């Protein structure tokens, strides 16, 4: 780890908790502006201290957090979702009925022992959780829309549903994470099935499923962590690696059953 950013600050700004502009943040971390904005929008890095409508200042904590995220991506090969689960989601919280706090690193969701276990298990699952090569890169959103036969409004729906986040790249072109192309693929399949925006299947429709999966994941994580903390990390990692595909099949089969049971109540 390099020297703390505070060591390079002048005596005048040591008392300033927000000494850095965006260009300083980029210089200290070696990350381009659009990547930093992307980390913030993804909830991996907390927002800066607003100083104007389109300006903000940042502190040493932002520098350190960006470096940690970059290290987890480049050295541990963790996808953004896994990094967010460990470090906490720093996006603006939603209203209480759909708020997402269980994985927020600022609260007491996990004890120190539980968090230590999760970090250890994360390292042991690095190969299983590693995204495909190049998936951490940013890609042109317009190109993805064209590739999958989607409209710009579909991108807006995906963003509103919190399935993808966009950042402005060179020349103001919108970019998204390459690892999120799956959302475009599924959105295109849903559209081809007839669930169009004209019929009212917009971002609110997609958000139904995002909220349900997020709530389930938070309860699932809390439930499992509480019960697995006393087990050796290698055993927990093996259990989770085996259970994940089983649970994926369970969700698909149980949803099919719920549909069948629903229509069975309609009679002849």
């Amino acid at each position: 780890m390099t020297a703390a950013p505070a060591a390079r600050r002048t005596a005048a700004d040591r008392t300033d908790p927000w000494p850095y502009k965006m260009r300083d943040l980029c210089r200290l971390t070696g990350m381009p502006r659009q990547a930093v904005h992307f980390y913030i929008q993804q909830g991996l890095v907390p927002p800066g201290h607003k100083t104007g409508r389109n300006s903000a200042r940042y502190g040493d904590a932002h520098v350190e957090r960006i470096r940690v995220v970059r290290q987890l991506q480049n050295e541990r090969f963790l996808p953004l979702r896994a990094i967010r689960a460990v470090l906490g989601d720093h996006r603006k919280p939603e209203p209480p009925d759909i708020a997402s706090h269980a994985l927020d690193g600022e609260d007491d969701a996990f004890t120190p022992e539980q968090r230590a276990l999760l970090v250890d298990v994360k390292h042991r699952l690095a190969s299983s959780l590693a995204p495909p090569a190049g998936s951490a890169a940013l890609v042109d959103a317009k190109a993805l829309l064209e590739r999958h036969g989607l409209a710009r409004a579909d991108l807006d729906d995906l963003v509103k549903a919190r399935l993808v986040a966009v950042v402005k790249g060179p020349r103001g072109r919108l970019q998204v994470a390459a690892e999120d192309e799956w959302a475009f693929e599924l959105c295109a399949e849903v559209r081809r099935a007839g669930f169009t925006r004209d019929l009212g299947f917009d971002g609110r429709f997609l958000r139904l499923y995002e909220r349900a999966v997020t709530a389930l994941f938070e309860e699932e994580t809390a439930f499992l962590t509480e019960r697995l903390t006393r087990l050796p990390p290698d055993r927990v990692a093996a259990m989770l690696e085996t259970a994940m595909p089983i649970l994926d099949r369970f969700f698909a089969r149980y949803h099919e059953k719920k549909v069948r049971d629903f229509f069975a109540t309609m009679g002849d």
Side-chain angles (χ1 to χ4, degrees):
M1 190 67 68
T2 57
R8 295 189 291 272
R9 290 161 57 179
T10 66
D13 61 16
R14 282 180 187 141
T15 58
D16 182 2
W18 316 104
Y20 307 126
K21 296 181 180 180
M22 175 57 71
R23 65 172 177 267
D24 301 317
L25 207 57
C26 296
R27 173 176 55 82
L28 291 170
T29 61
M31 296 290 287
R33 178 184 298 264
Q34 60 265 32
V36 175
H37 281 302
F38 180 72
Y39 282 171
I40 293 174
Q41 290 189 15
Q42 285 285 300
L44 299 165
V45 175
H49 176 67
K50 295 289 289 183
T51 57
R53 182 176 180 183
N54 296 311
S55 60
R57 305 278 293 195
Y58 305 89
D60 293 331
H62 292 89
V63 176
E64 184 62 23
R65 176 53 66 94
I66 291 171
R67 287 174 174 165
V68 170
V69 172
R70 191 179 184 185
Q71 182 182 32
L72 291 176
Q73 272 193 295
N74 297 339
E75 297 180 16
R76 299 295 183 180
F77 307 105
L78 292 184
L80 299 184
R81 295 178 188 83
I83 296 174
R84 188 163 53 239
V86 174
L87 298 182
D89 191 336
H90 292 273
R91 288 174 291 196
K92 182 179 179 181
E94 298 192 7
D97 59 324
I98 55 176
S100 173
H101 298 301
L103 297 180
D104 191 338
E106 301 297 328
D107 62 20
D108 297 322
F110 298 125
T111 66
E113 293 78 11
Q114 290 172 339
R115 187 166 292 280
L117 171 70
L118 291 173
V119 171
D120 200 338
V121 170
K122 173 195 69 176
H123 294 163
R124 296 171 189 273
L125 291 177
S127 60
S128 299
L129 297 176
S135 62
L138 296 175
V139 296
D140 186 75
K142 183 178 180 181
L144 283 183
L145 292 173
E146 293 175 351
R147 182 183 306 167
H148 297 288
L150 297 172
R152 168 55 193 270
D154 293 312
L155 175 60
D156 295 336
D157 288 340
L158 290 171
V159 172
K160 290 177 182 177
R162 292 184 63 175
L163 295 176
V164 303
V166 298
V167 295
K168 286 187 178 180
R171 300 181 181 179
R173 296 181 68 86
L174 298 181
Q175 296 180 317
V176 300
E179 71 167 340
D180 288 336
E181 184 170 358
W182 66 270
F184 291 79
E185 294 173 355
L186 294 184
C187 183
E189 292 181 18
V190 167
R191 295 290 185 240
R192 288 194 293 271
F195 295 87
T196 63
R197 299 188 88 257
D198 293 340
L199 294 178
F201 293 98
D202 52 18
R204 293 169 296 179
F205 173 60
L206 299 174
R207 189 78 172 100
L208 289 174
Y209 299 96
E210 192 282 332
R211 284 202 305 265
V213 173
T214 296
L216 172 62
F217 178 71
E218 291 175 355
E219 289 193 42
E220 175 187 41
T221 303
F223 187 89
L224 292 176
T225 302
E226 181 180 353
R227 287 156 178 78
L228 298 178
T229 302
R230 297 182 180 180
L231 296 181
D234 56 346
R235 181 180 174 187
V236 175
M239 290 171 62
L240 293 179
E241 196 165 28
T242 302
M244 284 189 288
I246 297 174
L247 290 174
D248 288 341
R249 295 200 304 273
F250 168 80
F251 297 144
R253 296 291 296 273
Y254 190 60
H255 188 261
E256 292 174 1
K257 172 179 168 54
K258 296 296 287 186
V259 173
R260 290 196 302 270
D261 290 348
F262 170 76
F263 282 104
T265 64
M266 296 296 103
D268 297 327

